[in-house]
Amino acid sequence: MRLKGKLIVAAFKMFFRQKEAIIWTILLPLFMIFLFSFVNFDSLGTVSLGIVNHSQDTVLIGQLHGIKTLKISTGDENEELAQLKKGERVLVLVLPATFQPSGSDSLILYVNAEKPQELQAGRMMIQRVLDELVFKQSSIPHPTLQAITVNSRNLTYIDFLLPGILAMSIMQTGIFGVSFSFVILKKRGILRRMLATPMRPSDFIAAQVIMRLVVLMVQTAVMVGAGVWVFKIHFIGSMLDMLVVGVLGGVIFLSIGFALSGISKSEDQVAPLANIIVLPMMFLSGVFFSRASLPGMAYTITGFFPLTYLADGLRNIATEGATLVMIWPQLLGLTVWAIIAVVLAIKAFRWE
Amino acid sequence: MTDSVLEVKQLTKHYGDLVAVNSISFDVHRQEVFGILGPNGAGKTTTLEMIETLRPIDSGTVILDGLDVKKQAQEVKRRIGVQLQASSFFDKLSLKELLALFGEMYDRQVDPLALLDEVELRDKARSYVAALSGGQKQRFSIAAALVNNPVILFLDEPTTGLDPQARRHLWGVIRRIRTEGKTIVITTHYMDEAEELCDRVAIMDRGNIIAYAPPHELIRKLIDKGFTKERVERLANLEDVFLDMTGHTLRDE
């Protein structure tokens, strides 16, 4: 027990005294998010308006459709409000069944409080169209616009990206971190030197695994923390659940790292092997962009990638506030991969 | 009757069709320096690794300090100190931290500075192994092999690649460890080193022991056979010139 503790302490010292380690595991992912935070995929100079029409009116609707700045969609009330809450709509206009331009029924306008500028612009446009209709008919009782503020979450690209980058860096820490350092320990005879002592080899492996899982939890906490305080992501999930999913993903990728170090003799051999596994997942597991745009077969196949399960799981917790029970398909996928990877690691790992 | 601390009997190792070690037998006496000599590929390292429990024994027996290496590997590991060829250590741990960690692997709390004194590296206690010279690295790996206060110390080609000053310095360290009551088994392909350090040697070639005696006896036997060098030995050689001009003190340290 005492030895285990000492081995863990030594593992941490060795890890954190390498400046590269800090750069790769913590700073690089943050830098990537920082870069992507300048890319604005969201606003294209339009205001999205949802219309729920319970009335017979076509005049007002027709006028609104004439305004190019408004991106109009129509649907039923629940649907449109859900979209508003997610941040997909800036405004949702509800025309009551009794509405007519000459009547006095008020229109209800749900507004997304988190997008004040777009909301003001859109509201002014609707008001003007309404005023013009009323002016033409010069009727004294006229419809009014009643605004109801809704606090939406307004998911942005960074909200999508951050859990993806986090999943990716967990993969990198696991695969590259373990495979490279163990190939070096093996090649330089350091593992062999330890076999000449009465220490149980599994103690050494356990210390390394524990250290790396802790590093990965720190990574998760730092990324989510930076996300919330620096990049202002809308994190509504449980941090604990994030850690659980992160550690499960970590077990998969650490094991793959051990397996790779077992079948490679040198850094030159392990690098291409690690890249063959890492690169396709990096680009096809929905880290940077949604997998929805992939063609049918590719979509199906990439759905089974361990990084897809990890990225989706983390994303659902972070942005949708999903609980562990709600992401059971991802947890199942991760667990199956973890079993496969651990078995592979045990079969492939070599001390010399 | 001399007290044997290591008894090797008919030790054999095959790699496929190749017989790396061919049924060799020898004894090592307590508190002697025993040399295993031979050209590269003679089977020296394989022999050592089987005794050190690092390689399975195909056949034969090895009794170390009364323990059967095949059956009591774990207990054997506690009684031996091992310095491997091109031994290396973790990066980013200081010499002091490394010795403490290796001590823990034997359930021991060692005094790293005392061990470093033994190999004259106290002033490098806070350095990393990567910052050491070749001779210092070898001395450090000897210190690491001493953490468990072993009965026998195994040194595999400890002076390969060192300059003449560093070699002589390491010989001094090895002699001192021996006077502290340890048995030392050393492999080398430098005959001057064996003659200088070893009480007895076994010369190996192609997996066999072809000679087994104290160095001076082997030399006398050869002379008795009527051997003479083609050129009569000069009173000095180039190494003497080199050491005379550059001194015996260590460099780069």
Side-chain angles (χ1 to χ4, degrees):
Chain A
M1 205 53 232
R2 186 186 151 80
L3 171 62
K4 281 199 188 77
K6 296 280 177 182
L7 284 169
I8 293 170
V9 170
F12 273 103
K13 280 182 184 167
M14 285 186 264
F15 186 82
F16 283 103
R17 284 176 187 175
Q18 291 174 287
K19 287 175 200 75
E20 315 89 88
I22 315 283
I23 292 170
W24 281 103
T25 55
I26 309 280
L27 295 181
L28 190 73
L30 286 179
F31 181 67
M32 285 179 80
I33 295 169
F34 174 72
L35 276 187
F36 275 97
S37 68
F38 290 110
V39 184
N40 196 344
F41 293 105
D42 303 319
S43 82
L44 297 161
T46 56
V47 176
S48 58
L49 168 69
I51 294 179
V52 182
N53 192 359
H54 295 304
S55 73
Q56 306 301 312
D57 172 77
T58 52
V59 185
L60 176 66
I61 305 288
Q63 294 269 349
L64 289 173
H65 272 288
I67 301 173
K68 278 189 184 150
T69 324
L70 293 175
K71 194 173 135 234
I72 293 175
S73 44
T74 49
D76 73 41
E77 197 159 345
N78 290 334
E79 226 173 72
E80 287 301 314
L81 281 178
Q83 294 292 334
L84 183 73
K85 286 203 176 101
K86 267 168 88 178
E88 295 292 312
R89 307 273 184 277
V90 176
L91 302 161
V92 173
L93 183 66
V94 181
L95 284 63
T98 54
F99 171 79
Q100 46 185 29
S102 56
S104 61
D105 291 325
S106 49
L107 296 157
I108 295 170
L109 184 66
Y110 291 100
V111 301
N112 180 338
E114 307 241 332
K115 296 190 172 173
Q117 284 157 329
E118 289 158 288
L119 142 68
Q120 286 308 328
R123 189 176 173 175
M124 274 169 61
M125 286 176 229
I126 297 167
Q127 188 70 57
R128 201 168 62 225
V129 170
L130 195 62
D131 286 348
E132 276 170 20
L133 279 180
V134 171
F135 180 74
K136 274 180 195 157
Q137 300 182 10
S138 61
S139 54
I140 298 305
H142 57 78
T144 53
L145 203 54
Q146 187 194 339
I148 296 173
T149 301
V150 175
N151 285 311
S152 304
R153 283 188 290 114
N154 293 310
L155 298 182
T156 62
Y157 180 58
I158 297 295
D159 290 308
F160 176 88
L161 182 71
L162 191 129
I165 298 265
L166 173 58
M168 188 186 82
S169 38
I170 288 172
M171 173 177 73
Q172 313 264 37
T173 305
I175 294 185
F176 285 117
V178 169
S179 65
F180 274 80
S181 56
F182 271 79
V183 159
I184 292 170
L185 290 179
K186 188 170 71 164
K187 186 177 136 194
R188 287 172 42 194
I190 301 174
L191 293 180
R192 198 170 168 67
R193 176 66 186 81
M194 282 189 291
L195 288 183
T197 74
M199 175 191 74
R200 280 214 313 273
S202 57
D203 284 355
F204 178 73
I205 302 284
Q208 287 286 320
V209 169
I210 290 168
M211 179 275 284
R212 283 165 206 278
L213 289 179
V214 172
V215 166
L216 183 152
M217 287 194 262
V218 171
Q219 228 177 339
T220 306
V222 168
M223 295 262 298
V224 171
V228 170
W229 286 300
V230 181
F231 301 109
K232 311 286 180 200
I233 62 164
H234 300 82
F235 181 82
I236 55 168
S238 144
M239 190 62 214
L240 190 67
D241 290 354
M242 290 289 276
L243 292 176
V244 170
V245 175
V247 165
L248 190 54
V251 169
I252 297 171
F253 296 117
L254 288 173
S255 303
I256 293 176
F258 277 112
L260 288 181
S261 78
I263 57 175
S264 316
K265 286 196 175 69
S266 68
E267 300 97 302
D268 297 337
Q269 280 183 13
V270 82
L273 284 175
N275 277 318
I276 284 171
I277 295 175
V278 163
L279 289 178
M281 285 207 276
M282 217 168 109
F283 294 111
L284 298 174
S285 292
V287 167
F288 296 97
F289 298 100
S290 166
R291 286 191 310 117
S293 55
L294 292 175
M297 267 297 275
Y299 181 83
T300 312
I301 293 168
T302 56
F304 292 108
F305 283 4
L307 188 62
T308 304
Y309 290 122
L310 182 60
D312 288 353
L314 292 174
R315 193 171 283 139
N316 287 346
I317 295 171
T319 61
E320 311 285 327
T323 59
L324 290 180
V325 177
M326 290 159 76
I327 58 161
W328 69 266
Q330 281 81 23
L331 286 181
L332 180 67
L334 288 172
T335 308
V336 170
W337 271 111
I339 294 167
I340 294 171
V342 168
V343 170
L344 278 179
I346 291 169
K347 295 258 183 233
F349 186 71
R350 295 280 176 279
W351 284 85
E352 44 191 289
Chain B
M1 164 107 198
T2 327
D3 177 17
S4 285
V5 71
L6 177 66
E7 294 164 44
V8 175
K9 287 201 178 71
Q10 276 126 41
L11 185 64
T12 303
K13 183 79 195 177
H14 296 266
Y15 292 116
D17 286 340
L18 178 85
V19 185
V21 176
N22 186 12
S23 188
I24 61 168
S25 303
F26 61 89
D27 290 347
V28 175
H29 304 154
R30 214 170 274 276
Q31 290 183 37
E32 77 172 337
V33 178
F34 186 84
I36 301 177
L37 318 181
N40 284 330
K44 306 187 297 282
T45 300
T46 306
T47 302
L48 228 53
E49 287 181 338
M50 283 191 283
I51 300 170
E52 291 163 349
T53 76
L54 291 174
R55 215 168 271 286
I57 294 169
D58 283 0
S59 65
T61 54
V62 179
I63 306 296
L64 189 147
D65 205 20
L67 302 166
D68 185 336
V69 170
K70 261 192 201 167
K71 293 175 189 142
Q72 291 160 286
Q74 205 61 8
E75 191 48 41
V76 167
K77 285 178 183 181
R78 295 195 169 275
R79 303 208 191 167
I80 62 173
V82 172
Q83 185 247 2
L84 300 175
Q85 237 176 65
S87 255
S88 57
F89 295 91
F90 299 115
D91 292 327
K92 308 292 175 190
L93 286 183
S94 69
L95 301 193
K96 213 174 131 182
E97 289 168 333
L98 279 169
L99 290 177
L101 185 65
F102 269 83
E104 294 293 343
M105 293 179 191
Y106 292 90
D107 273 325
R108 275 168 182 264
Q109 274 157 280
V110 297
D111 178 358
L113 291 179
L115 282 164
L116 289 172
D117 277 338
E118 189 107 12
V119 295
E120 295 165 44
L121 281 174
R122 179 188 272 262
D123 54 329
K124 296 282 176 185
R126 291 177 174 280
S127 305
Y128 294 149
V129 173
L132 302 182
S133 70
Q136 289 171 331
K137 277 183 189 151
Q138 291 294 17
R139 265 144 57 205
F140 177 70
S141 65
I142 291 177
L146 291 172
V147 290
N148 57 329
N149 191 24
V151 177
I152 309 188
L153 186 61
F154 292 94
L155 307 176
D156 199 359
E157 299 189 3
T159 62
T160 300
L162 302 187
D163 69 26
Q165 281 90 355
R167 285 180 72 206
R168 274 170 178 68
H169 186 244
L170 198 71
W171 293 352
V173 170
I174 292 169
R175 278 198 206 95
R176 193 170 59 231
I177 292 167
R178 184 253 184 108
T179 59
E180 284 161 11
K182 300 218 183 306
T183 307
I184 296 166
V185 176
I186 183 170
T187 69
T188 182
H189 44 231
Y190 299 119
M191 295 307 122
D192 59 334
E193 182 164 292
E195 204 178 332
E196 186 78 29
L197 285 175
C198 300
D199 299 296
R200 294 187 311 135
V201 298
I203 301 179
M204 284 186 78
D205 194 23
R206 299 197 178 93
N208 295 295
I209 290 184
I210 54 174
Y212 173 47
H216 61 88
E217 245 175 62
L218 292 172
I219 295 167
R220 208 193 54 225
K221 270 188 198 158
L222 182 67
I223 295 167
D224 286 353
K225 277 202 310 195
F227 176 90
T228 45
K229 280 201 179 183
E230 282 177 17
R231 276 199 293 172
V232 176
E233 189 64 62
R234 289 161 299 182
L235 292 172
N237 62 20
L238 190 58
E239 182 155 336
D240 298 322
V241 175
F242 179 81
L243 287 168
D244 180 57
M245 296 175 82
T246 58
H248 280 78
T249 40
L250 281 171
R251 301 301 172 86
D252 288 321
E253 313 212 346

